[in-house]
Amino acid sequence: MNMPEIPDLPDFDPGRTRRAVRRGLARTVAIVLAVLALLAVTATVGSSLAQTRGDREIRMGAVLGTAFKMYSPAYSVTIGSCCQTTPVSMSFEVAARPLGPVGAWPAGTASYTISQDFFGRVGRLPLGVSANTRLSQALFDVGTTLAPKDDVREVLARLPADLSTLSVVEFERPLGEAELRAFLKRHRSCADRVVYERRPGALPITWGHDYWLDGRGPGRSGDMTEEMCGGGLPEFRDWVGLLRDHDDANLRSFDLSLDRLRKASEAGLAYGYVDQTASVRGLRELLKDPMVRTIRPAGVAFDLDRPAP
């Protein structure tokens, strides 16, 4: 039997071998990187879809954005578009500027990020009680015996009558919605923030016309001034109506609770309000009203361009 001839093995070529090994390694690395990239894209897209499922994205802006405004009543807060997502979180940007008397030179605006993790728990928050502004302190003092009328009257007597002011007006007894509107109309005052809770030594629940812009639907009020200055109780109640029991954990991060919010919105009683428009002269007149318990000045502004009388 004739055996088949075995061809001669080619001579070993080290250069060709190295090139073949490099090509094999490159193909392997390319395949591994492609698989990892595909897994990363799948995880990111999948996480984003999971986090934004249903109305979760809309509710994050409506609930957490508004809660942040209530947490920071001494600031004018603008909410950015919601939401930016990562595999483990969702977030949106806010811009905050300290409130001051109308006509005052605007203070600087700072940007912050509000985030919640994959499981819907809110992260660490800026501002709030740590802001420690004069207006925040004036709100903390609502319901205390600090700044009695006589002391405030002496302070106001030392100030020029035309100075613009930022202040918290506290009522002798809480007012219902109709009483509040009548009081504001009588004094030609504007309630930029209404205090719907008496909580001495801590931040009370407040509501402002700019807290929840989605709540101002068509037909709610034909008078823009009344809508912006009258307390916004209907919008406050509508917003509280959006809240669910599972929101309570996040609300507590904003120094709020579902129980307190529901009680305050149902009662609808105004314990005071923040006024950015009154002059010193106007505050002196307000102090004469027996319905006013006291006024807590939080800032003044002087118009340097106004000619001397």
mmCIF file of all heavy atoms in Angstrom, residues 199-226:
data_model
loop_
_atom_site.group_PDB
_atom_site.id
_atom_site.type_symbol
_atom_site.label_atom_id
_atom_site.label_comp_id
_atom_site.label_asym_id
_atom_site.label_seq_id
_atom_site.Cartn_x
_atom_site.Cartn_y
_atom_site.Cartn_z
ATOM 1 N N ARG A 199 -45.474 77.132 62.955
ATOM 2 C CA ARG A 199 -44.494 76.123 63.377
ATOM 3 C C ARG A 199 -43.289 76.838 63.981
ATOM 4 O O ARG A 199 -42.238 76.937 63.371
ATOM 5 C CB ARG A 199 -44.079 75.289 62.156
ATOM 6 C CG ARG A 199 -43.377 73.989 62.443
ATOM 7 C CD ARG A 199 -43.012 73.317 61.128
ATOM 8 N NE ARG A 199 -42.300 72.079 61.339
ATOM 9 C CZ ARG A 199 -41.337 71.622 60.530
ATOM 10 N NH1 ARG A 199 -40.977 72.325 59.466
ATOM 11 N NH2 ARG A 199 -40.735 70.474 60.765
ATOM 12 N N PRO A 200 -43.425 77.387 65.185
ATOM 13 C CA PRO A 200 -42.364 78.208 65.775
ATOM 14 C C PRO A 200 -41.022 77.482 65.830
ATOM 15 O O PRO A 200 -40.939 76.322 66.231
ATOM 16 C CB PRO A 200 -42.890 78.493 67.192
ATOM 17 C CG PRO A 200 -44.365 78.321 67.089
ATOM 18 C CD PRO A 200 -44.582 77.240 66.080
ATOM 19 N N GLY A 201 -39.983 78.188 65.398
ATOM 20 C CA GLY A 201 -38.644 77.639 65.462
ATOM 21 C C GLY A 201 -38.286 76.714 64.314
ATOM 22 O O GLY A 201 -37.185 76.150 64.296
ATOM 23 N N ALA A 202 -39.177 76.523 63.373
ATOM 24 C CA ALA A 202 -38.905 75.661 62.221
ATOM 25 C C ALA A 202 -39.548 76.276 60.988
ATOM 26 O O ALA A 202 -40.326 77.228 61.081
ATOM 27 C CB ALA A 202 -39.450 74.253 62.466
ATOM 28 N N LEU A 203 -39.219 75.731 59.834
ATOM 29 C CA LEU A 203 -39.744 76.278 58.590
ATOM 30 C C LEU A 203 -41.197 75.866 58.405
ATOM 31 O O LEU A 203 -41.505 74.676 58.320
ATOM 32 C CB LEU A 203 -38.914 75.779 57.408
ATOM 33 C CG LEU A 203 -39.135 76.471 56.068
ATOM 34 C CD1 LEU A 203 -38.688 77.925 56.154
ATOM 35 C CD2 LEU A 203 -38.373 75.751 54.962
ATOM 36 N N PRO A 204 -42.116 76.838 58.326
ATOM 37 C CA PRO A 204 -43.526 76.496 58.138
ATOM 38 C C PRO A 204 -43.841 76.229 56.670
ATOM 39 O O PRO A 204 -43.040 76.536 55.782
ATOM 40 C CB PRO A 204 -44.249 77.756 58.621
ATOM 41 C CG PRO A 204 -43.300 78.865 58.275
ATOM 42 C CD PRO A 204 -41.914 78.301 58.461
ATOM 43 N N ILE A 205 -45.001 75.656 56.413
ATOM 44 C CA ILE A 205 -45.462 75.444 55.046
ATOM 45 C C ILE A 205 -45.852 76.780 54.440
ATOM 46 O O ILE A 205 -46.614 77.543 55.026
ATOM 47 C CB ILE A 205 -46.663 74.478 55.025
ATOM 48 C CG1 ILE A 205 -46.197 73.067 55.395
ATOM 49 C CG2 ILE A 205 -47.348 74.480 53.661
ATOM 50 C CD1 ILE A 205 -47.340 72.083 55.581
ATOM 51 N N THR A 206 -45.292 77.081 53.281
ATOM 52 C CA THR A 206 -45.655 78.297 52.553
ATOM 53 C C THR A 206 -46.102 77.916 51.148
ATOM 54 O O THR A 206 -45.812 76.816 50.661
ATOM 55 C CB THR A 206 -44.467 79.269 52.445
ATOM 56 O OG1 THR A 206 -43.415 78.643 51.697
ATOM 57 C CG2 THR A 206 -43.955 79.668 53.813
ATOM 58 N N TRP A 207 -46.797 78.838 50.506
ATOM 59 C CA TRP A 207 -47.184 78.633 49.112
ATOM 60 C C TRP A 207 -47.113 79.960 48.382
ATOM 61 O O TRP A 207 -47.559 80.983 48.895
ATOM 62 C CB TRP A 207 -48.595 78.065 49.002
ATOM 63 C CG TRP A 207 -48.945 77.699 47.580
ATOM 64 C CD1 TRP A 207 -49.619 78.453 46.666
ATOM 65 C CD2 TRP A 207 -48.592 76.486 46.919
ATOM 66 N NE1 TRP A 207 -49.710 77.783 45.477
ATOM 67 C CE2 TRP A 207 -49.087 76.573 45.590
ATOM 68 C CE3 TRP A 207 -47.899 75.341 47.302
ATOM 69 C CZ2 TRP A 207 -48.912 75.553 44.660
ATOM 70 C CZ3 TRP A 207 -47.723 74.330 46.378
ATOM 71 C CH2 TRP A 207 -48.229 74.439 45.077
ATOM 72 N N GLY A 208 -46.512 79.933 47.187
ATOM 73 C CA GLY A 208 -46.408 81.122 46.360
ATOM 74 C C GLY A 208 -47.019 80.899 44.990
ATOM 75 O O GLY A 208 -47.160 79.756 44.539
ATOM 76 N N HIS A 209 -47.362 81.975 44.321
ATOM 77 C CA HIS A 209 -48.025 81.870 43.025
ATOM 78 C C HIS A 209 -47.137 81.196 41.984
ATOM 79 O O HIS A 209 -47.631 80.665 40.982
ATOM 80 C CB HIS A 209 -48.430 83.266 42.526
ATOM 81 C CG HIS A 209 -47.264 84.120 42.125
ATOM 82 N ND1 HIS A 209 -46.766 84.130 40.838
ATOM 83 C CD2 HIS A 209 -46.485 84.960 42.835
ATOM 84 C CE1 HIS A 209 -45.732 84.964 40.779
ATOM 85 N NE2 HIS A 209 -45.542 85.483 41.968
ATOM 86 N N ASP A 210 -45.806 81.194 42.215
ATOM 87 C CA ASP A 210 -44.877 80.602 41.244
ATOM 88 C C ASP A 210 -44.397 79.213 41.652
ATOM 89 O O ASP A 210 -43.488 78.660 41.043
ATOM 90 C CB ASP A 210 -43.664 81.517 41.061
ATOM 91 C CG ASP A 210 -42.920 81.768 42.377
ATOM 92 O OD1 ASP A 210 -43.494 81.502 43.455
ATOM 93 O OD2 ASP A 210 -41.769 82.236 42.316
ATOM 94 N N TYR A 211 -45.007 78.620 42.679
ATOM 95 C CA TYR A 211 -44.550 77.318 43.157
ATOM 96 C C TYR A 211 -44.869 76.197 42.170
ATOM 97 O O TYR A 211 -44.068 75.317 41.923
ATOM 98 C CB TYR A 211 -45.178 76.994 44.509
ATOM 99 C CG TYR A 211 -44.469 77.611 45.697
ATOM 100 C CD1 TYR A 211 -43.507 78.607 45.522
ATOM 101 C CD2 TYR A 211 -44.756 77.213 46.991
ATOM 102 C CE1 TYR A 211 -42.869 79.181 46.600
ATOM 103 C CE2 TYR A 211 -44.112 77.778 48.075
ATOM 104 C CZ TYR A 211 -43.175 78.760 47.889
ATOM 105 O OH TYR A 211 -42.536 79.319 48.961
ATOM 106 N N TRP A 212 -46.085 76.196 41.656
ATOM 107 C CA TRP A 212 -46.501 75.125 40.747
ATOM 108 C C TRP A 212 -47.228 75.755 39.570
ATOM 109 O O TRP A 212 -48.428 75.987 39.614
ATOM 110 C CB TRP A 212 -47.405 74.121 41.468
ATOM 111 C CG TRP A 212 -47.763 72.926 40.626
ATOM 112 C CD1 TRP A 212 -46.938 72.215 39.813
ATOM 113 C CD2 TRP A 212 -49.051 72.323 40.519
ATOM 114 N NE1 TRP A 212 -47.630 71.201 39.204
ATOM 115 C CE2 TRP A 212 -48.925 71.230 39.619
ATOM 116 C CE3 TRP A 212 -50.294 72.589 41.096
ATOM 117 C CZ2 TRP A 212 -50.006 70.419 39.285
ATOM 118 C CZ3 TRP A 212 -51.365 71.773 40.763
ATOM 119 C CH2 TRP A 212 -51.212 70.694 39.881
ATOM 120 N N LEU A 213 -46.480 76.040 38.525
ATOM 121 C CA LEU A 213 -47.050 76.761 37.388
ATOM 122 C C LEU A 213 -48.076 75.925 36.631
ATOM 123 O O LEU A 213 -48.993 76.468 36.012
ATOM 124 C CB LEU A 213 -45.928 77.194 36.443
ATOM 125 C CG LEU A 213 -44.865 78.117 37.061
ATOM 126 C CD1 LEU A 213 -43.841 78.523 36.023
ATOM 127 C CD2 LEU A 213 -45.512 79.350 37.687
ATOM 128 N N ASP A 214 -47.957 74.596 36.681
ATOM 129 C CA ASP A 214 -48.933 73.742 36.003
ATOM 130 C C ASP A 214 -50.316 73.846 36.635
ATOM 131 O O ASP A 214 -51.309 73.448 36.028
ATOM 132 C CB ASP A 214 -48.486 72.279 36.037
ATOM 133 C CG ASP A 214 -47.258 72.045 35.162
ATOM 134 O OD1 ASP A 214 -46.970 72.917 34.331
ATOM 135 O OD2 ASP A 214 -46.608 71.000 35.321
ATOM 136 N N GLY A 215 -50.371 74.340 37.864
ATOM 137 C CA GLY A 215 -51.649 74.409 38.554
ATOM 138 C C GLY A 215 -52.508 75.583 38.161
ATOM 139 O O GLY A 215 -53.678 75.650 38.519
ATOM 140 N N ARG A 216 -51.926 76.526 37.400
ATOM 141 C CA ARG A 216 -52.699 77.707 37.015
ATOM 142 C C ARG A 216 -53.312 77.503 35.636
ATOM 143 O O ARG A 216 -52.844 78.023 34.641
ATOM 144 C CB ARG A 216 -51.804 78.951 37.026
ATOM 145 C CG ARG A 216 -51.384 79.333 38.425
ATOM 146 C CD ARG A 216 -50.718 80.665 38.437
ATOM 147 N NE ARG A 216 -49.430 80.618 37.740
ATOM 148 C CZ ARG A 216 -48.724 81.697 37.434
ATOM 149 N NH1 ARG A 216 -49.185 82.890 37.724
ATOM 150 N NH2 ARG A 216 -47.563 81.592 36.815
ATOM 151 N N GLY A 217 -54.321 76.672 35.606
ATOM 152 C CA GLY A 217 -54.981 76.373 34.342
ATOM 153 C C GLY A 217 -55.864 77.507 33.883
ATOM 154 O O GLY A 217 -56.157 78.440 34.622
ATOM 155 N N PRO A 218 -56.306 77.460 32.614
ATOM 156 C CA PRO A 218 -57.180 78.511 32.090
ATOM 157 C C PRO A 218 -58.510 78.544 32.832
ATOM 158 O O PRO A 218 -59.056 77.518 33.214
ATOM 159 C CB PRO A 218 -57.376 78.101 30.618
ATOM 160 C CG PRO A 218 -57.082 76.628 30.588
ATOM 161 C CD PRO A 218 -56.043 76.403 31.634
ATOM 162 N N GLY A 219 -58.993 79.745 33.067
ATOM 163 C CA GLY A 219 -60.284 79.887 33.722
ATOM 164 C C GLY A 219 -60.234 79.877 35.234
ATOM 165 O O GLY A 219 -61.246 80.066 35.892
ATOM 166 N N ARG A 220 -59.022 79.666 35.799
ATOM 167 C CA ARG A 220 -58.931 79.628 37.258
ATOM 168 C C ARG A 220 -59.178 81.011 37.851
ATOM 169 O O ARG A 220 -59.845 81.176 38.849
ATOM 170 C CB ARG A 220 -57.549 79.102 37.656
ATOM 171 C CG ARG A 220 -57.237 79.123 39.151
ATOM 172 C CD ARG A 220 -58.256 78.386 39.985
ATOM 173 N NE ARG A 220 -58.353 76.999 39.654
ATOM 174 C CZ ARG A 220 -57.544 76.044 40.106
ATOM 175 N NH1 ARG A 220 -56.536 76.343 40.887
ATOM 176 N NH2 ARG A 220 -57.746 74.792 39.787
ATOM 177 N N SER A 221 -58.625 82.019 37.217
ATOM 178 C CA SER A 221 -58.830 83.382 37.700
ATOM 179 C C SER A 221 -58.624 84.345 36.552
ATOM 180 O O SER A 221 -57.653 84.244 35.813
ATOM 181 C CB SER A 221 -57.851 83.718 38.837
ATOM 182 O OG SER A 221 -57.963 85.072 39.195
ATOM 183 N N GLY A 222 -59.530 85.286 36.396
ATOM 184 C CA GLY A 222 -59.392 86.262 35.325
ATOM 185 C C GLY A 222 -58.561 87.457 35.736
ATOM 186 O O GLY A 222 -58.195 88.269 34.910
ATOM 187 N N ASP A 223 -58.278 87.616 37.022
ATOM 188 C CA ASP A 223 -57.525 88.755 37.532
ATOM 189 C C ASP A 223 -56.117 88.290 37.857
ATOM 190 O O ASP A 223 -55.888 87.584 38.836
ATOM 191 C CB ASP A 223 -58.214 89.309 38.784
ATOM 192 C CG ASP A 223 -57.588 90.621 39.259
ATOM 193 O OD1 ASP A 223 -56.388 90.815 39.010
ATOM 194 O OD2 ASP A 223 -58.311 91.424 39.869
ATOM 195 N N MET A 224 -55.146 88.694 37.025
ATOM 196 C CA MET A 224 -53.778 88.241 37.212
ATOM 197 C C MET A 224 -53.201 88.717 38.528
ATOM 198 O O MET A 224 -52.497 87.986 39.222
ATOM 199 C CB MET A 224 -52.909 88.731 36.048
ATOM 200 C CG MET A 224 -51.527 88.107 36.016
ATOM 201 S SD MET A 224 -51.619 86.326 35.773
ATOM 202 C CE MET A 224 -49.862 85.915 35.752
ATOM 203 N N THR A 225 -53.491 89.960 38.914
ATOM 204 C CA THR A 225 -52.978 90.483 40.176
ATOM 205 C C THR A 225 -53.510 89.679 41.346
ATOM 206 O O THR A 225 -52.777 89.318 42.274
ATOM 207 C CB THR A 225 -53.364 91.969 40.342
ATOM 208 O OG1 THR A 225 -52.828 92.711 39.247
ATOM 209 C CG2 THR A 225 -52.822 92.509 41.654
ATOM 210 N N GLU A 226 -54.802 89.380 41.319
ATOM 211 C CA GLU A 226 -55.399 88.592 42.396
ATOM 212 C C GLU A 226 -54.804 87.195 42.424
ATOM 213 O O GLU A 226 -54.549 86.631 43.493
ATOM 214 C CB GLU A 226 -56.916 88.509 42.193
ATOM 215 C CG GLU A 226 -57.644 87.744 43.284
ATOM 216 C CD GLU A 226 -59.146 87.740 43.064
ATOM 217 O OE1 GLU A 226 -59.693 88.788 42.680
ATOM 218 O OE2 GLU A 226 -59.764 86.677 43.272
#
